[in-house]
Amino acid sequence: MKRKLTAAIGIAGMIFSIAACGGGDGGSESEGPQTLTVWMMDGSTPDQWQKDLAAEFEAKTKAKVKFETQTWNGIQQKLTTALSEENPPDVFEIGNTQTPAYAKTGGLADLSGLKSEIGADWTASLNKSAVYEGKQYAAPWFVVNRVVIYNKKVWADAGIKTTPKTRDEFHAALKKIGEKTDAEPIYLPGQNWYHFVGLVIGEGGELVKKDGDKYVSNLADPKVVAAAETYKKFQALSKAPKDKDEATPQQGEIFAKGNVGAFIGMGWEAATAIKANPAIEKEIGYFTIPGETAAKPEGTFLGGSNLAVAAGSKKQDLAKEFLKIALSDKYEGRLAKLNGVIPNKEALQTNLKGNPAAEAGAPAVAGGDTTPLIPEWAAVENAPNPIKTYLTAVLNGKSPAEAARQVEGEFNKRLAQQQ
């Protein structure tokens, strides 16, 4: 892929102040040839995909499409400004965890009718981020998630012949690597917090809870505590720093040295390892992060993009026609095949065949989720992220309850910031 899709996870649910711009059902569309403006993020769509889609849209509607490529850096403010102006982009890609904030402030058109027409079989875990207060404000497009990336040679040297199917089997295999080889069993830095979010999802937990009319920290919840204990158990097998995340340094570069059994990361991180050490490519394998039982993979964070229509667009009927084509099985399937992203329907996951990282990620999607889909979440991820601080405290010996008390004041302060 052309970009690191973690950018799509980015700063979840940025806080916006978008003026509602009218819109509705597109009744104000003018007569004659029209051009639909579509914002796509850099690397999300191959050029030929865009060309073919534009041609099909033009043949169907007699209107043209103007694709404008955007970068993730600074997109929140740029889109906020654009949506408050008279001529916003008609259709745009939006980070899935950013969607609630835009919906709350009136920037997005209601797509409930579109959902009824073409979205009956959208994967529920993907569609969740496109819904706000019961209304469909976007359409799920694609997600990516984390998998186990492992060194086949290291595992073979340890005498391990099959990949694990349960969390306990995974831990036992890593311990065996530590006992039978000189390799570090797993590289797991203390602040790989998106993996921790996945563990919380796997436990059925929530990072926040409602207290009256506001959200507060839920880090002391037993399900979150269980996730923290699992994280600590695996991190004990790693030499990675307890106070750094997976990008400091890039864990793919550590793995590239050939003396690490596995790490938990995005599929593109294998490319980082290969770039640093091309010889390691033949040793790289992937498998789904094992859950508590073989029947259900570990929970994973689903980072990706939705497609939305501006509430202020004067071409909403055309915009919805565009979405019907872009979200069709033809174009969803092609995007999955070309970019290795998980499509919005489980039936389309067959397009991932031949992409081992995507194939490993797909089984966990149905049980995956995101960070809390509330506009108030935005400030939580700002540095220093209190969840990272919490994890480091747990790994340095504090009980999860103590660590939760240490950060809950700051956590709650951020959740209470004015929207």
Side-chain angles (χ1 to χ4, degrees):
M1 296 183 64
K2 297 180 181 176
R3 66 178 169 91
K4 299 177 180 180
L5 280 167
T6 46
I9 301 167
I11 303 173
M14 290 295 291
I15 307 304
F16 304 101
S17 182
I18 304 171
C21 303
D25 297 323
S28 61
E29 295 176 16
S30 60
E31 299 296 329
Q34 299 184 78
T35 298
L36 197 74
T37 300
V38 178
W39 282 14
M40 292 292 189
M41 304 311 296
D42 183 32
S44 289
T45 55
D47 290 343
Q48 193 60 49
W49 187 94
Q50 289 189 6
K51 291 176 182 178
D52 292 345
L53 174 54
E56 188 164 329
F57 175 77
E58 183 174 352
K60 181 179 180 181
T61 66
K62 309 306 179 187
K64 295 186 179 297
V65 178
K66 181 182 179 183
F67 285 104
E68 296 183 354
T69 302
Q70 309 296 324
T71 60
W72 287 104
N73 185 26
I75 187 58
Q76 290 87 8
Q77 186 56 49
K78 184 175 183 178
L79 184 57
T80 297
T81 300
L83 291 178
S84 67
E85 294 177 342
E86 185 176 351
N87 293 302
D90 301 294
V91 178
F92 51 92
E93 178 181 351
I94 183 174
N96 58 351
T97 58
Q98 298 168 356
T99 305
Y102 286 105
K104 179 182 179 181
T105 49
L108 310 184
D110 186 347
L111 300 181
S112 297
L114 188 74
K115 169 67 166 65
S116 299
E117 188 172 350
I118 67 170
D121 52 351
W122 286 343
T123 302
S125 60
L126 272 69
N127 191 54
K128 183 178 178 182
S129 69
V131 176
Y132 180 70
E133 293 188 341
K135 290 187 178 181
Q136 190 83 32
Y137 282 106
W141 194 22
F142 65 81
V143 297
V144 291
N145 59 328
R146 285 160 177 77
V147 298
V148 180
I149 301 172
Y150 74 106
N151 186 315
K152 296 176 183 178
K153 182 179 184 304
V154 170
W155 285 54
D157 289 346
I160 305 170
K161 297 181 179 179
T162 60
T163 55
K165 304 302 180 187
T166 68
R167 191 186 295 159
D168 286 344
E169 288 177 4
F170 186 23
H171 189 265
L174 295 176
K175 282 188 66 177
K176 191 172 182 179
I177 290 171
E179 294 165 357
K180 300 290 186 179
T181 75
D182 293 329
E184 181 178 2
I186 185 171
Y187 185 83
L188 181 60
Q191 296 185 346
N192 188 341
W193 80 283
Y194 278 116
H195 175 51
F196 171 67
V197 170
L199 296 176
V200 173
I201 292 166
E203 294 289 346
E206 298 284 350
L207 293 171
V208 299
K209 63 182 178 181
K210 205 72 180 287
D211 181 15
D213 61 352
K214 63 183 179 180
Y215 287 97
V216 297
S217 167
N218 196 38
L219 292 179
D221 183 84
K223 293 178 180 178
V224 179
V225 170
E229 294 289 4
T230 296
Y231 195 101
K232 183 176 182 179
K233 180 179 178 180
F234 279 83
Q235 208 280 330
L237 299 174
S238 177
K239 298 176 183 177
K242 295 177 173 60
D243 60 350
K244 303 293 182 185
D245 62 22
E246 68 278 12
T248 316
Q250 288 289 342
Q251 59 184 1
E253 294 177 355
I254 301 296
F255 181 79
K257 297 175 182 178
N259 59 349
V260 170
F263 72 99
I264 293 169
M266 309 293 281
W268 59 259
E269 293 182 78
T272 299
I274 294 167
K275 181 178 180 180
N277 176 19
I280 203 169
E281 182 172 9
K282 65 181 184 299
E283 306 297 349
I284 294 178
Y286 309 84
F287 60 87
T288 309
I289 304 173
E292 185 176 4
T293 68
K296 185 179 180 182
E298 188 59 83
T300 61
F301 174 83
L302 303 177
S305 291
N306 296 330
L307 293 178
V309 174
S313 170
K314 299 178 178 65
K315 306 166 188 171
Q316 290 191 22
D317 288 342
L318 274 179
K320 291 170 186 176
E321 289 301 319
F322 174 88
L323 290 181
K324 289 176 187 178
I325 300 173
L327 298 166
S328 67
D329 289 359
K330 175 182 176 180
Y331 286 95
E332 272 285 307
R334 187 181 299 179
L335 188 67
K337 190 175 187 66
L338 293 172
N339 276 9
V341 294
I342 311 296
N344 64 10
K345 298 179 182 179
E346 290 184 38
L348 296 177
Q349 290 180 6
T350 54
N351 289 281
L352 302 174
K353 187 174 182 180
N355 185 321
E359 287 185 284
V365 167
D369 208 337
T370 66
T371 47
L373 292 169
I374 55 173
E376 293 86 349
W377 181 257
V380 174
E381 294 190 26
N382 293 336
N385 185 330
I387 300 178
K388 289 185 174 183
T389 304
Y390 164 83
L391 285 172
T392 296
V394 170
L395 298 175
N396 281 332
K398 287 194 173 183
S399 70
E402 291 174 321
R405 286 194 294 271
Q406 177 183 327
V407 303
E408 66 182 6
E410 178 62 23
F411 200 149
N412 292 342
K413 178 182 176 182
R414 296 183 184 206
L415 287 170
Q417 288 183 9
Q418 293 297 313
Q419 309 305 303

